Amino acid sequence: MNLDLSQQLFQRAQEVIPGGVNSPVRAFKGVGGTPVFFVSGIGPYLADVDGNHYIDYVASWGPMLRGYSCEPVVRAIRDQAIRATSFGAPTLQEIEMAELVVERVPSVERVRMVNSGTEATMSAIRLARGYTGRDRIVKFEGCFHGHGDSLLVKAGSGVMTLGLPDSPGVPAELAKHTITLPFNDIRAVEETFAGIGSDIACVIVEPIAGNMGVVAPANGFLQSLREKTNANGALLIFDEVMTGFRVAAGGAQELYGITPDLTTLGKVIGGGLPVGAFGGKADIMDQLAPIGPIYQSGTLSGNPLAMTAGLALLQTLDDEFYTALAESTTSLVEGLLIEASAAGIDLHINSVCGMFSLFFTAQDEVLSYEHVMQCEAEKYKKFFRLMLENGVYFAPSPYESAFLSGSHTEVEITQTIEQAGQAFRRIV
Ligand code: HOZ
């Protein structure tokens, strides 16, 4: 495969952009080689600057739920761009988006728009601290909630990919308020609450972890978080930046039947444009300025371009869509496992409707950061490179989720399984 132009662009980018990228995982440090520079996408396919084509499983890290260049989204963006892209003032579109979120996401009675998942989680943490009058927060190993200071402690995703410990620049005085527990460890949660429960402002969790690869909640884990936070006057925040509108219309909270106090949402609700949101119970959300004392704001928040694009996408997502997405995920996962077994490769795949991760391991289950760290990341790197060379683009890190869209048909799934079979035989 010829990647000459991508290589040239990466050289040029490194002169003016730190590491040549605007988000670390994109630099391919987790998998080696040169990042691919893309020019266009249609459905499940991407095209790069060198004219190569790929079946894509990154989906812009989630939001391309119907694939690239989704017609209603493109039309909505074009029509809105002609009118205006931003006013910094209220619009009808932001009410329609808020109404849609409130209607579909079970725990949300009020919602505020921001511009990224990071902004959403930072704001939700501030709100939880302001509402409870407490400073301490609990998060889980391997869960990534954006790069806000309080949350960049034992975070997954990019920091795992690059093998970085906690980031310099986060004041120790702030980091000391963040308590990190093992994901899916109910006993650790119980012990923590037994010790300092009355100091905890909130527990924040990805209800399905997606930033150490996909790790679903063990039976009873989310329920235990709900019970302990309720009993101790702490808030429960579900970070549904990845899972919102993806694993079900109402996100993971609908799938597992657990109602958090606050929910953070991200890129999906912008249809691929930069958006985030946080929402929850009315009495908590109404503590925000201008009616409450807790401050949060943003010029581009709720801008009509992103709202219109997001609405256009979300309005296409019905029950049939989720049923079909779950079925194609199962069929791809089953095919990959059959090929791995035929090639003599130890492979475990975690998946939940449209999200999946390949763990090269003989472990029967991958339920925690510890389990993830026991997997053979080197094999993922080889797998990634072989798939890329053969026109299939997976996440350039062993610690990210792969994403399927509604535009992946049997054709792409069969081709992916065939390519994977060949790759597995070469990495034994
Ligand atoms: N770690 C991010 C997704 N979970 C990567 C985002 C990006 O590089 O765009």
Side-chain angles (χ1 to χ4, degrees):
M1 173 173 290
N2 175 3
L3 288 172
D4 289 353
L5 272 177
S6 275
Q7 277 157 7
Q8 284 169 31
L9 288 178
F10 191 46
Q11 288 298 327
R12 188 172 151 195
Q14 288 174 88
E15 299 294 321
V16 285
I17 301 173
V21 290
N22 281 309
S23 191
V25 173
R26 298 177 199 176
F28 273 36
K29 286 204 166 181
V31 288
T34 302
V36 181
F37 283 65
F38 294 109
V39 284
S40 63
I42 184 143
Y45 293 98
L46 285 174
D48 73 13
V49 285
D50 288 285
N52 304 303
H53 292 84
Y54 307 83
I55 301 173
D56 168 64
Y57 290 99
V58 176
S60 187
W61 305 99
M64 299 304 164
L65 264 172
R66 284 213 174 261
Y68 293 88
S69 307
C70 171
E71 209 270 326
V73 178
V74 172
R75 191 164 6 102
I77 292 174
R78 203 167 36 214
D79 291 353
Q80 182 57 45
I82 293 166
R83 290 195 289 270
T85 55
S86 173
F87 301 111
T91 62
L92 169 63
Q93 290 91 333
E94 62 191 359
I95 306 175
E96 288 176 346
M97 173 60 85
E99 286 170 349
L100 190 146
V101 172
V102 167
E103 183 194 308
R104 294 203 194 162
V105 184
S107 66
V108 176
E109 295 169 357
R110 301 256 202 283
V111 59
R112 180 160 281 177
M113 293 297 146
V114 290
N115 298 294
S116 68
T118 291
E119 225 185 299
T121 53
M122 278 166 37
S123 306
I125 294 288
R126 181 179 307 146
L127 179 56
R129 283 176 163 154
Y131 180 79
T132 58
R134 303 171 180 178
D135 289 338
R136 287 184 149 172
I137 66 171
V138 172
K139 72 175 284 293
F140 294 92
E141 268 175 7
C143 283
F144 180 67
H145 304 289
H147 59 88
D149 283 350
S150 287
L151 294 163
L152 209 52
V153 179
K154 295 198 176 165
S157 184
V159 277
M160 278 173 84
T161 306
L162 301 180
L164 295 174
D166 306 334
S167 175
V170 176
E173 279 304 303
L174 187 61
K176 76 176 186 201
H177 296 300
T178 302
I179 297 151
T180 307
L181 302 178
F183 188 74
N184 273 334
D185 189 336
I186 297 177
R187 185 180 294 178
V189 172
E190 288 170 350
E191 284 171 4
T192 302
F193 272 97
I196 53 159
S198 59
D199 291 343
I200 295 173
C202 63
V203 172
I204 184 165
V205 66
E206 291 180 89
I208 299 165
N211 283 285
M212 51 176 158
V214 175
V215 180
N219 271 344
F221 177 62
L222 298 177
Q223 183 64 37
S224 79
L225 300 183
R226 183 63 286 180
E227 285 165 10
K228 288 295 160 200
T229 46
N230 274 346
N232 289 272
L235 300 188
L236 178 60
I237 306 174
F238 273 10
D239 180 347
E240 299 233 40
V241 165
M242 274 193 188
T243 53
F245 293 95
R246 169 163 281 277
V247 297
Q253 57 196 268
E254 179 188 311
L255 202 64
Y256 297 109
I258 306 289
T259 306
D261 300 296
L262 294 173
T263 297
T264 58
L265 297 163
K267 39 211 165 192
V268 174
I269 59 166
L273 268 64
V275 177
F278 64 107
K281 293 180 179 159
D283 67 317
I284 304 173
M285 292 300 290
D286 286 349
Q287 293 301 310
L288 289 171
I291 46 174
I294 301 168
Y295 201 73
Q296 181 280 330
S297 68
T299 296
L300 289 166
S301 299
N303 73 80
L305 193 65
M307 295 298 95
T308 310
L311 277 166
L313 174 66
L314 298 183
Q315 281 160 351
T316 70
L317 307 177
D318 51 16
D319 289 348
E320 262 172 61
F321 170 82
Y322 290 104
T323 307
L325 187 61
E327 280 171 10
S328 26
T329 310
T330 305
S331 116
L332 176 58
V333 167
E334 283 174 354
L336 292 172
L337 287 171
I338 290 169
E339 290 294 332
S341 162
I345 287 275
D346 288 325
L347 182 69
H348 183 88
I349 302 184
N350 283 343
S351 69
V352 187
C353 189
M355 296 172 69
F356 65 98
S357 285
L358 280 70
F359 296 104
F360 289 90
T361 180
Q363 298 171 97
D364 292 335
E365 51 185 24
V366 178
L367 282 173
S368 65
Y369 179 81
E370 206 187 337
H371 290 168
V372 171
M373 294 319 283
Q374 284 167 30
C375 299
E376 294 180 84
E378 280 306 317
K379 281 200 173 146
Y380 181 86
K381 292 177 193 176
K382 287 184 190 160
F383 172 78
F384 169 85
R385 297 220 58 78
L386 289 164
M387 294 301 276
L388 188 77
E389 278 163 26
N390 288 293
V392 185
Y393 184 59
F394 272 88
S397 161
Y399 309 117
E400 297 278 358
S401 172
F403 296 100
L404 265 159
S405 76
S407 67
H408 288 80
T409 67
E410 224 180 297
V411 173
E412 290 80 32
I413 289 173
T414 307
Q415 205 176 321
T416 304
I417 292 169
E418 279 171 17
Q419 292 296 351
Q422 290 174 29
F424 292 147
R425 277 182 274 282
R426 291 178 63 189
I427 60 175
V428 177

